[in-house]
């Protein structure tokens, strides 16, 4: 792994697809997608998201995977190999996962805590008012859970591309998909009669989720949904984080990238959609439409109350749900760490062990600071987008709302205008594959994607407030 001549590769396309899908299927799908769908008109958000996934998301995903396989380098070094003078873009793309990993592991620790609570039969405690706040504001317990999660992530990355990332993906992803489907089907079978005698069912909740609602949606509201869906794609497809460049660099030259990218898109979109099927019908059944406005707290505050209302089986369903979320968080965190580790290996010519140790230590320090941000280091800061946040929120804003759109815009400029779309197209068609969306790719990477990204950036930094 010291240079690209002896660089490890995935053992076939299935390993790459599962690893990339594991990266894409993370907390962004399971936590954020259902919340945005509930907020943005249900089926309207879903339709717009799918449309953007097969156009906008496809263009950026294809570009990053192609850059990775073409250069056989991590994100820190890849961009300068594509074009001299673009080293700074590589630095930015490596900084993003470096910032994300500590707070992602903290959230992974929260998920682990909830799994332990439910698997030990104490799910009712998690449904109590103040449980979540009490946990994250504690000084020791969140750090312990975070460290356990981070060690698991580091161990997989330490084992390498084949024995670690690929092997774990082949185990974790089928289990995750099974749990997602099983919980989704269960969510559709439930019904509940509230104190007013009103009976609601999971199927009614599914209708709320999938049928587009244009109620109260004007031009401004529509563009808000578009921007939310586009922002969600960054989380869902792991784009503009350097991750897909790193994973693309481990893909064999003979692999069919067209088929692999199509499968990643399908897998990611399917799990994102099913995440909504798992959560929205259940929350609607037990809490009505009011429960669906819980925002990002949906997973840690609203859902435990739903599981409690299910009675004894709630502990079982809750344990299965948080196990599934744990696997999703783990596979994504592995990809985030790998983006940094691969960059360290390629840029500084150090061993994987040393790279993991360095990044792991830095992540430990960052994660402890994030945990302490809810107690001894607590503060409230108003961000440019108008939200008020603490340490975790600030790191999330800097990485996701500020840096990621910049990296994506500059990537479009580099490939669309500086070296030309032919750079990506030639890599995709390397083995004579048919690139069916070639014309769409050119239009997206040169014109539409940069414009949409620029609008998203202006909105994220608070300059554009009309949408």
């Amino acid at each position: 792994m010291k240079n690209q001549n002896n660089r490890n590769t995935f053992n076939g396309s299935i390993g790459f697809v599962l690893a990339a899908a594991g990266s894409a299927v993370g907390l962004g799908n399971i936590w954020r997608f259902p919340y945005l769908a509930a907020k943005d008109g249900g089926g309207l958000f879903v339709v717009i998201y799918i449309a953007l996934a097969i156009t906008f998301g496809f263009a950026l995903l294809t570009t990053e995977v192609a850059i990775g396989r073409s250069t056989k380098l991590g994100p820190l070094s890849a961009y300068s190999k594509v074009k001299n003078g673009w080293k700074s873009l590589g630095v930015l793309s490596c900084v993003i996962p470096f910032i994300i990993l500590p707070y992602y592991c903290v959230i992974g620790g929260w998920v682990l805590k909830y799994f332990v609570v439910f698997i030990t039969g104490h799910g009712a405690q998690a449904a109590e008012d103040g449980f979540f706040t009490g946990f994250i504001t504690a000084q020791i317990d969140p750090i312990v859970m975070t460290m356990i999660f981070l060690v698991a992530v580091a161990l997989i990355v330490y084992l390498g591309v084949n024995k670690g990332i690929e092997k774990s993906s082949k185990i974790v992803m089928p289990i995750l998909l099974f749990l997602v489907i099983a919980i989704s089907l269960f969510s559709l079978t439930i019904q509940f009669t509230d104190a007013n005698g009103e009976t609601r069912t999971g199927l009614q909740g599914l209708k709320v989720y999938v049928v587009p609602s244009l109620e109260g949606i004007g031009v401004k509201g529509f563009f808000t949904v578009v921007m939310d869906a586009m922002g969600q794609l960054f989380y869902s497809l792991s784009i503009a984080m350097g991750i897909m460049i790193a994973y693309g660099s481990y893909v064999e030259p003979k692999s069919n990238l067209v088929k692999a990218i199509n499968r990643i898109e399908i897998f990611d979109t399917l799990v994102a959609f099913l995440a909504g099927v798992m959560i929205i019908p259940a929350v609607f059944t037990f809490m009505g439409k009011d429960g669906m406005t819980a925002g990002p707290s949906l997973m840690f505050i609203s859902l435990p109350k739903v599981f409690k209302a299910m009675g004894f089986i709630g502990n079982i369903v809750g344990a299965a749900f948080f196990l599934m979320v744990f696997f999703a968080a783990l596979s994504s965190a592995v990809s985030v760490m790998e983006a940094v580790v691969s960059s360290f290996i390629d840029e500084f010519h150090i061993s994987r062990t040393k790279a993991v140790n360095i990044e792991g230590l830095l992540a430990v320090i960052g994660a402890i600071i994030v945990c302490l941000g809810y107690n001894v280091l607590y503060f409230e800061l108003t961000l440019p987008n108008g939200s008020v946040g603490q340490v975790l929120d600030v790191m999330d804003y800097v990485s996701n709302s500020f840096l990621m759109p910049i990296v994506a815009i500059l990537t479009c400029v580099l490939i669309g205008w500086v070296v030309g779309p032919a750079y990506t197209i030639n890599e995709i068609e390397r083995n004579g594959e048919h690139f069916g969306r070639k014309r769409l790719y050119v239009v997206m990477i040169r014109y539409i994607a940069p414009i949409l990204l620029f609008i998203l950036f202006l909105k994220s930094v608070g300059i554009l407030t009309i949408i």
Side-chain angles (χ1 to χ4, degrees):
M1 291 288 296
K2 288 186 178 180
N3 56 62
Q4 64 189 73
N5 293 323
N6 62 359
R7 191 177 190 82
N8 286 351
T9 58
F10 289 116
N11 293 323
S13 62
I14 188 64
F16 165 60
V17 170
L18 289 176
S23 171
V25 178
L27 293 172
N29 290 64
I30 298 168
W31 182 359
R32 200 167 180 266
F33 188 94
Y35 150 63
L36 289 175
K39 180 179 79 74
D40 289 336
L44 176 64
F45 175 84
V46 174
V47 170
I48 291 175
Y49 175 86
I50 293 174
L52 287 174
I54 61 178
T55 53
F56 169 81
F58 146 78
L60 292 179
L61 177 62
T62 300
T63 299
E64 294 196 4
V65 172
I67 289 174
R69 191 173 76 166
S70 174
T71 62
K72 289 296 180 186
L73 293 169
L76 182 58
S77 307
Y79 284 102
S80 59
K81 187 171 182 180
V82 174
K83 182 68 176 180
N84 288 332
W86 285 74
K87 180 73 174 182
S88 57
L89 181 53
V91 173
L92 285 179
S93 67
C94 188
V95 167
I96 291 170
F98 181 81
I99 295 174
I100 291 175
L101 183 62
Y103 76 77
Y104 203 97
C105 286
V106 171
I107 300 174
W110 297 352
V111 174
L112 180 59
K113 170 68 174 182
Y114 273 70
F115 170 69
V116 171
V117 169
F118 276 94
I119 198 67
T120 56
H122 298 96
Q125 294 180 7
E128 295 176 0
D129 292 335
F131 178 86
F132 178 64
T133 302
F135 167 63
I136 66 172
T137 56
Q139 295 187 19
I140 303 299
D141 201 13
I143 294 177
V144 171
M145 291 297 175
T146 296
M147 293 304 110
I148 294 173
F149 183 86
L150 203 160
V151 167
V153 172
L155 178 61
I156 294 173
V157 176
Y158 168 78
L159 290 174
V161 176
N162 304 122
K163 294 181 179 180
I165 298 171
E166 185 173 6
K167 188 175 182 178
S168 66
S169 296
K170 288 181 177 179
I171 297 172
V172 166
M173 294 311 294
I175 297 174
L176 187 150
L177 185 59
F178 170 78
L179 289 172
V180 168
I181 294 174
I183 298 171
S184 296
L185 291 175
F186 174 80
S187 183
L188 298 179
T189 65
I190 57 179
Q191 68 175 29
F192 176 73
T193 302
D194 61 21
N196 297 321
E198 180 183 357
T199 299
R200 294 182 295 269
T201 68
L203 289 176
Q204 290 174 334
L206 177 66
K207 182 179 178 181
V208 172
Y209 175 45
V210 299
V211 177
S213 173
L214 299 178
E215 183 180 351
I217 300 285
V219 174
K220 178 179 178 181
F222 179 80
F223 276 105
T224 297
V225 177
V226 172
M227 290 296 106
D228 283 348
M230 189 165 63
Q232 173 63 22
L233 279 169
F234 284 102
Y235 293 90
S236 290
L237 293 177
S238 295
I239 50 182
M241 306 182 198
I243 292 171
M244 290 305 168
I245 293 178
Y247 277 8
S249 71
Y250 302 132
V251 177
E252 293 180 333
K254 64 181 180 180
S255 294
N256 188 322
L257 287 188
V258 175
K259 288 184 178 179
I261 290 170
N262 288 343
R263 289 167 181 168
I264 294 168
E265 284 183 291
I266 292 170
F267 201 110
D268 170 78
T269 305
L270 174 64
V271 173
F273 175 78
L274 288 177
V277 178
M278 282 191 299
I279 294 174
I280 292 179
V283 172
F284 172 82
T285 299
F286 289 98
M287 305 179 73
K289 286 190 175 182
D290 292 340
M292 294 167 56
T293 62
S297 64
L298 193 68
M299 187 164 69
F300 293 113
I301 297 178
S302 297
L303 277 179
K305 295 182 183 297
V306 170
F307 296 141
K308 180 181 179 181
M310 292 179 183
F312 172 76
I313 198 174
N315 271 315
I316 300 174
V317 177
F321 174 80
F322 283 105
L323 177 64
M324 179 271 301
V325 178
F326 174 80
F327 282 148
L330 182 67
S331 59
S332 291
V334 164
S335 68
V336 173
M337 176 176 267
E338 180 61 25
V340 179
V341 167
S342 67
S343 293
F344 285 178
I345 293 171
D346 295 331
E347 185 70 16
F348 305 115
H349 306 291
I350 59 178
S351 68
R352 173 169 288 271
T353 300
K354 189 172 183 179
V356 173
N357 289 341
I358 293 172
E359 170 59 2
L361 178 60
L362 294 173
V364 165
I365 296 171
I368 291 175
I369 292 174
V370 172
C371 289
L372 296 179
Y374 290 100
N375 41 71
V376 297
L377 298 180
Y378 182 83
F379 64 83
E380 291 186 357
L381 179 67
T382 301
L383 300 171
N385 60 7
S387 64
V388 177
Q390 296 78 45
V391 175
L392 187 152
D393 304 295
V394 171
M395 294 172 69
D396 180 67
Y397 173 80
V398 171
S399 59
N400 289 278
S401 298
F402 185 75
L403 291 179
M404 282 167 57
I406 291 177
V407 167
I409 291 169
L410 292 177
T411 299
C412 289
V413 172
L414 173 62
I415 301 300
W417 297 97
V418 178
V419 301
Y423 177 92
T424 299
I425 294 170
N426 291 338
E427 184 61 34
I428 296 296
E429 298 179 335
R430 185 173 187 166
N431 305 305
E433 295 92 344
H434 174 64
F435 190 13
R437 287 183 278 178
K438 183 192 301 185
R439 293 182 179 178
L440 172 65
Y441 174 79
V442 173
V443 172
M444 290 302 303
I445 203 69
R446 299 194 76 176
Y447 305 106
I448 300 178
I451 293 173
L452 290 176
L453 286 165
F454 186 64
I455 295 173
L456 179 65
F457 176 75
L458 294 179
K459 183 174 184 292
S460 297
V461 298
I463 295 175
L464 186 64
T465 58
I466 61 172
I467 59 174

